[in-house]
Amino acid sequence: MRTTRAAAALALPALVLPLTVAAPAAGADPVPGGPWVCENQPINLGGLTSNAELAATLDKLAEHHPDTVEVTEIGRSVEGRPLESVTVGDGPRTLLILTQVHGDEPLGTEAVLDLLRRAAGNSPAAEALRDGVTLVAVPRINPDGWERYQDRDFADGLDPRRNSNDIDLNRTFGPTDIDLSLAPEAVAVQSLVEEVDPDLVLDFHHQVSYTAEGSDDLVTMSTMWGTHPDVAPAVADDARRAVTVIGDSLAGNGHATVTLYPRSDTATTARNGLSLDGYPTVLVEQRGQQDVGQKGHGALVREALVSMQAVAESLADGSFDAVDPTAADLLPERGDRVRGTC
Ligand SMILES: [Zn+2]
């Protein structure tokens, strides 16, 4: 079912050509934990979901599953692109998944679209999931930044991470002093949070290349709960349960190396800001296409999907509540940055 979707304000390009990212310095060290595609190799950003394709995908989901999928326009970006939430299921626990708050960090979007398709399906597992959890996703918070990044259109000098008013949307939470009239994307997301009152929020991002502490393995995912000192312990503990579930879900995956993310206290990120507001929120930072190249995309999208699905299933079947939050501390810390991984 589609609820309040309005006509698109902009005519969005339907075709995106393969493009090549800028080349980094040559002659770098061998890659630990490879093989990885280097960032100076061509990356076909057209293989990722464009804004037009996202709208078409959500239309198709709502059309094919009118009784189980609800797509709602929750606002518009600075440039007028629709911001949409997708709801699947009506279980008593609510999981909110946010992706691509930074426009150049697209892999969580690919994963959550896959999760939504699976959750909307007719299998007994999908039905059980929908009975146990209300899954809400905003599968691209910064469509304007992604448009700039996917088109490699940097002529206006705007960083594709940021919105089109040059705001970092991941500094608009909690006690921010940013003028939110410049960040309609943030207003839309925060209104949605208040409306759906999630039991848990997962916020997917990309980071560059790091080793895990005490290892040469390249980190594929780092994750952390709200660590600001004013976050209520029960709120932090629920997010730590989710971090534990994520670590366990990927423990046997030979392509995944999961660590904790550094514990910054910045109050205005989603991780800390939403946690301060009482919503347990987990930051998930994956190694992204900036350092991996397109051949790494498949494994990273699967990694994100496995982590999202594990958390959703644990909430749905109630096993989440029995998870020991202190087990999250057993994940390794993130180690040193690895530069020039080609
Ligand atoms: Zn980010």
Side-chain angles (χ1 to χ4, degrees):
M1 178 175 65
R2 176 171 282 287
T3 52
T4 61
R5 184 174 173 76
L10 297 177
L12 300 177
L15 177 68
V16 178
L17 297 172
L19 297 156
T20 303
V21 297
D29 296 334
V31 188
W36 298 96
V37 175
C38 305
E39 61 185 321
N40 59 347
Q41 293 180 302
I43 294 176
N44 183 357
L45 294 175
L48 298 167
T49 302
S50 69
N51 284 320
E53 288 164 345
L54 177 60
T57 296
L58 299 186
D59 278 343
K60 200 191 292 184
L61 255 183
E63 192 181 314
H64 288 182
H65 305 282
D67 299 327
T68 52
V69 174
E70 185 174 340
V71 178
T72 304
E73 183 175 316
I74 58 170
R76 294 261 166 157
S77 67
V78 170
E79 295 184 35
R81 294 188 172 88
L83 306 168
E84 304 201 277
S85 71
V86 187
T87 303
V88 178
D90 55 5
R93 312 296 289 274
T94 297
L95 172 63
L96 175 62
I97 301 180
L98 306 175
T99 68
Q100 224 173 340
V101 66
H102 293 134
D104 58 350
E105 300 175 357
L107 298 185
T109 298
E110 303 299 325
V112 83
L113 291 176
D114 203 352
L115 177 67
L116 291 166
R117 284 188 205 98
R118 288 164 186 252
N122 296 321
S123 70
E127 287 179 15
L129 189 73
R130 294 198 298 271
D131 286 344
V133 73
T134 300
L135 177 61
V136 184
V138 185
R140 177 168 292 152
I141 294 172
N142 186 356
D144 295 352
W146 175 237
E147 194 75 21
R148 285 195 290 281
Y149 188 77
Q150 198 174 34
D151 274 357
R152 311 305 292 173
D153 176 13
F154 303 134
D156 58 11
L158 274 175
D159 185 339
R161 287 174 58 78
R162 300 163 78 92
N163 82 351
S164 290
N165 282 327
D166 203 18
I167 301 289
D168 182 347
L169 296 170
N170 202 28
R171 294 295 183 277
T172 59
F173 294 90
T176 188
D177 57 5
I178 288 174
D179 176 359
L180 292 184
S181 71
L182 299 174
E185 301 90 348
V187 172
V189 168
Q190 290 172 31
S191 298
L192 178 70
V193 169
E194 286 174 24
E195 181 189 328
V196 304
D197 190 20
D199 294 281
L200 189 71
V201 182
L202 303 180
D203 181 28
F204 276 76
H205 290 253
H206 291 188
Q207 62 183 358
V208 292
S209 299
Y210 296 88
T211 54
E213 195 171 82
S215 157
D216 286 336
D217 291 341
L218 277 178
V219 174
T220 56
M221 178 185 282
S222 300
T223 179
M224 183 51 67
W225 53 91
T227 51
H228 188 283
D230 294 339
V231 172
V235 169
D237 277 354
D238 269 350
R240 292 169 86 196
R241 288 186 175 91
V243 168
T244 302
V245 171
I246 289 170
D248 288 351
S249 73
L250 293 164
N253 183 324
H255 297 289
T257 299
V258 182
T259 73
L260 297 172
Y261 185 85
R263 297 161 178 75
S264 99
D265 288 346
T266 306
T268 55
T269 61
R271 173 173 68 91
N272 280 320
L274 290 177
S275 295
L276 286 166
D277 291 341
Y279 305 105
T281 300
V282 175
L283 170 70
V284 180
E285 292 267 3
Q286 290 187 279
R287 194 164 181 244
Q289 82 287 342
Q290 294 93 337
D291 268 15
V292 177
Q294 73 188 74
K295 287 184 184 172
H297 282 179
L300 288 163
V301 171
R302 279 194 297 281
E303 176 187 68
L305 173 63
V306 166
S307 68
M308 293 172 180
Q309 188 162 331
V311 171
E313 287 174 352
S314 72
L315 283 168
D317 68 17
S319 58
F320 184 86
D321 300 316
V323 173
D324 176 3
T326 66
D329 300 329
L330 300 175
L331 282 170
E333 300 289 337
R334 199 182 71 178
D336 295 331
R337 180 165 180 187
V338 181
R339 293 180 186 276
T341 52
C342 292

